[in-house]
């Protein structure tokens, strides 16, 4: 059973920072990209960033480029999203997912038959 668990969300002031974590268990993810998505109220879900667990290829959406950094700890089986210079428009529920078509298209790796999602973590940027 694949399990992805996000943590690290919270309330932060504009300009602040947060680090999200996505811990995975259940099977090896070496061949798949891990991606972060977000969904704000009333908006469609959007891909934010991804990382190829195999070769380390990364991708960032234009809206977060230069402010967010994705990284992985293979030993801890955890992917991180370091978010800096946060803006109110970054407010959303953030999800990590693996074996998604979006992650495959942006970061490569293997293409899975099924995708897997975490439960999400709320990030609120407000003064």
């Amino acid at each position: 059973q694949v399990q992805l668990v996000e943590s690290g969300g919270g309330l932060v002031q504009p300009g602040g920072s947060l680090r999200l974590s996505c811990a995975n268990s259940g099977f090896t993810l070496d061949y798949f990209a891990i991606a972060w998505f977000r969904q704000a109220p009333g908006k469609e879900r959007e891909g934010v960033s991804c990382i190829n667990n195999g070769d380390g290829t990364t991708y960032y959406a234009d809206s977060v480029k230069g402010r967010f950094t994705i990284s992985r700890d293979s030993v801890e089986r955890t992917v991180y999203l370091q978010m800096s210079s946060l803006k109110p428009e970054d407010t959303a529920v953030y999800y990590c997912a693996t074996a998604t078509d979006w992650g495959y298209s942006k970061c490569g790796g293997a293409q899975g038959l099924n995708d897997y999602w975490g439960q999400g973590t709320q990030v609120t940027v407000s003064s």
Side-chain angles (χ1 to χ4, degrees):
Q1 180 94 19
V2 175
Q3 188 171 20
L4 300 174
V5 179
E6 303 99 332
S7 61
L11 172 64
V12 64
Q13 292 187 341
S17 299
L18 281 175
R19 188 178 78 159
L20 305 184
S21 300
C22 173
N24 75 83
S25 63
F27 74 100
T28 179
L29 298 176
D30 290 348
Y31 304 110
F32 300 98
I34 296 248
W36 285 96
F37 293 81
R38 67 185 181 187
Q39 187 164 23
K43 294 188 176 181
E44 292 189 356
R45 185 176 62 200
E46 64 170 334
V48 174
S49 179
C50 60
I51 185 166
N52 182 321
N53 272 315
D55 64 12
T57 298
T58 60
Y59 170 87
Y60 299 94
D62 287 343
S63 58
V64 306
K65 199 173 294 183
R67 300 187 299 121
F68 290 12
T69 303
I70 193 169
S71 62
R72 72 191 193 279
D73 184 329
S74 299
V75 174
E76 296 295 326
R77 300 171 64 89
T78 300
V79 171
Y80 302 98
L81 186 68
Q82 178 68 47
M83 306 186 296
S84 303
S85 302
L86 283 163
K87 306 174 181 179
E89 50 263 43
D90 294 318
T91 295
V93 179
Y94 284 71
Y95 301 90
C96 69
T98 190
T100 64
D101 289 342
W102 185 86
Y104 172 73
S105 70
K106 300 300 185 184
C107 288
Q111 190 170 17
L113 294 177
N114 300 297
D115 53 11
Y116 302 91
W117 294 77
Q119 82 288 351
T121 185
Q122 176 71 47
V123 171
T124 302
V125 185
S126 175
S127 55

